[in-house]
Amino acid sequence: MTTKPWLLSLPVAMGYIPLGMVFGFLFVQAGGAWWMAVVASLWIYAGAAQFMMLPMLAAGLPLPTIALATLVVNLRHVFYGLSLLNTLPRAWSAKTYLVFGLTDETYSVLTTLPSDTPAKDLVAITALNQGWWVLGSTMGAILGAQAQVQLIGLDFALAALFAVLAVEQWRASSNSHALWVALVSYGVALWLMPAQALLIAIALSVLVGLWLQRSSRNTPATQKSA
């Protein structure tokens, strides 16, 4: 398996550039200056939360309300960070940036890497992924400031990106437990509350993952090898 950061980051680029373009385009169309879209991607870098803040800003909601909504949407990243504690670099600056840049897609790429992957490669992958997002946002913002263009169909890029990353995770894993847990959790969540299916599915997946991890620790080594 290659560990070259730019190669590992290419699948993310295919999703982040078009999605970043959509964000930059919509930001400008909502009345924001093009350079503010770039600043948002540099300093917020929260994907779905950036899309979510567009109608909230347009509606004139106060910043504390937008900040709270962003915190709730990105709360799952806390669990991402906890699972990477043993692989984070020791240098304070590198660790801080990795925590800041840990998106769904970056987490998916980092967790497929061997445990002895150098810290500089982890930082490089994270920086490249954010670079794709900033590049797309800049292109979309400039495009939106120049002309009225329909971006129909680009929203499919996110679904396609997650599908590719899920397949890579499945191939890199020694079992398919995580995939089946996610599918069953989403099915249960869709049956219980269709409008909040994604949020409930994430919560169920986290709970089942913690239970499986605890069960694995309590299982004697002889039973594991049997």
Side-chain angles (χ1 to χ4, degrees):
M1 179 179 181
T2 181
T3 57
K4 292 182 178 178
W6 69 273
L7 281 177
L8 294 169
S9 182
L10 275 183
V12 178
M14 295 177 188
Y16 270 19
I17 291 178
L19 280 173
M21 289 181 64
V22 174
F23 167 73
F25 181 85
L26 293 178
F27 191 93
V28 173
Q29 293 299 308
W34 72 269
W35 59 269
M36 290 182 65
V38 181
V39 171
S41 292
L42 282 170
W43 292 100
I44 299 177
Y45 186 40
Q50 286 183 237
F51 281 102
M52 180 190 67
M53 78 180 189
L54 291 175
M56 299 177 77
L57 286 172
L61 294 181
L63 287 180
T65 301
I66 298 175
L68 178 61
T70 303
L71 175 64
V72 172
V73 169
N74 291 310
L75 192 60
R76 64 190 184 282
H77 291 181
V78 173
F79 298 101
Y80 293 171
L82 290 175
S83 69
L84 293 176
L85 281 179
N86 295 329
T87 59
L88 289 175
R90 293 184 179 180
W92 180 85
S93 57
K95 183 183 297 184
T96 301
Y97 179 67
L98 275 180
V99 171
F100 166 76
L102 196 60
T103 62
D104 296 325
E105 297 75 15
T106 299
Y107 176 81
S108 182
V109 174
L110 295 184
T111 51
T112 62
L113 301 178
S115 58
D116 58 347
T117 301
K120 62 181 180 60
D121 288 348
L122 303 180
V123 174
I125 292 169
T126 305
L128 281 168
N129 288 350
Q130 186 179 9
W132 302 130
W133 182 260
V134 174
L135 174 62
S137 298
T138 304
M139 294 168 63
I142 293 175
L143 184 65
Q146 297 296 324
Q148 298 287 337
V149 180
Q150 296 292 328
L151 298 178
I152 298 173
L154 285 180
D155 52 344
F156 178 71
L158 183 60
L161 174 59
F162 273 114
V164 170
L165 293 175
V167 170
E168 290 299 321
Q169 282 276 354
W170 189 9
R171 293 173 59 186
S173 176
S174 58
N175 61 60
S176 58
H177 291 168
L179 179 63
W180 289 111
V181 167
L183 290 174
V184 172
S185 297
Y186 188 74
V188 172
L190 195 62
W191 176 64
L192 290 175
M193 296 183 66
Q196 306 295 333
L198 181 59
L199 184 60
I200 295 175
I202 291 173
L204 287 175
S205 297
V206 170
L207 291 175
V208 174
L210 292 174
W211 177 77
L212 288 175
Q213 188 176 34
R214 184 174 181 180
S215 300
S216 177
R217 289 177 179 174
N218 295 333
T219 302
T222 53
Q223 293 185 20
K224 291 181 180 179
S225 59

